[in-house]
Amino acid sequence: MGLKIAEGSVSSSPVAGRRHIIRASEAITFASAIGFLNQGVILHGTQKNYTVIHKNITQFEILGDTAEALLKQHQSVAILPDYRAHKTPSRAAAIRALCEKMAQRLSTECPASRAPGFGHVNVEHGLPCSFCGSATQAITADIHGCGRCTHQIRPPRNHALAAPEWCDYCNQ
Ligand SMILES: [Zn+2]
Ligand SMILES: [Zn+2]
């Protein structure tokens, strides 16, 4: 019999977006603010319709010099975080957490069939509205299931009632 297990994660990146710079010192300020050298940065220099990209900058000094050179040669220069996983500690941490979650899940047995990988498979909507009591789109419980048999458990979420703003009836 087959076994299907999926584990997911959504991480909102706490890292800043791109910033246009007009002085090399702004590149240094931006880089230190986002945690360079642990967090990698990329420099973009744009001239009419082409962009030069500098990656793998390993020192503040090189960053400053590169920014300086780009500012001399290009109309527009921007600095941005390098989102490749090994250059982004927050993403690397999210991937590591996901691996741990997966390992944790694989070590959880189904209480019914003893198959490995018992865990979160879905959510149940329909938390009652605190104002009128009708079922809302808010999540009322998580559903944990087995990859091999049909056994499921349904641990409820902590909220007993949903705020009326989630209620279709109250918002008609
Ligand atoms: Zn099972
Ligand atoms: Zn309502």
Side-chain angles (χ1 to χ4, degrees), residues 39-116:
Q39 165 65 54
V41 294
I42 301 177
L43 283 170
H44 282 188
T46 307
Q47 181 78 36
K48 296 206 172 84
N49 11 346
Y50 76 92
T51 298
V52 180
I53 298 171
H54 287 271
K55 293 179 183 179
N56 303 319
I57 300 161
T58 51
Q59 289 170 37
F60 273 103
E61 206 185 334
I62 297 171
L63 175 64
D65 291 350
T66 311
E68 192 98 55
L70 282 174
L71 284 161
K72 278 191 194 128
Q73 296 155 12
H74 296 85
Q75 289 168 327
S76 155
V77 177
I79 184 165
L80 55 154
D82 188 343
Y83 284 116
R84 290 174 297 164
H86 68 287
K87 294 285 180 188
T88 305
S90 59
R91 254 195 78 195
I95 290 166
R96 201 152 47 234
L98 188 59
C99 289
E100 275 162 25
K101 221 165 129 189
M102 195 71 191
Q104 170 72 41
R105 176 147 184 172
L106 282 169
S107 67
T108 309
E109 276 189 349
C110 168
S113 67
R114 301 266 156 240

Side-chain angles (χ1 to χ4, degrees), residues 129-134 136 163-164 167-171:
C129 169
S130 64
F131 188 75
C132 73
S134 31
T136 68
C167 176
D168 289 339
Y169 185 77
C170 289
N171 287 292

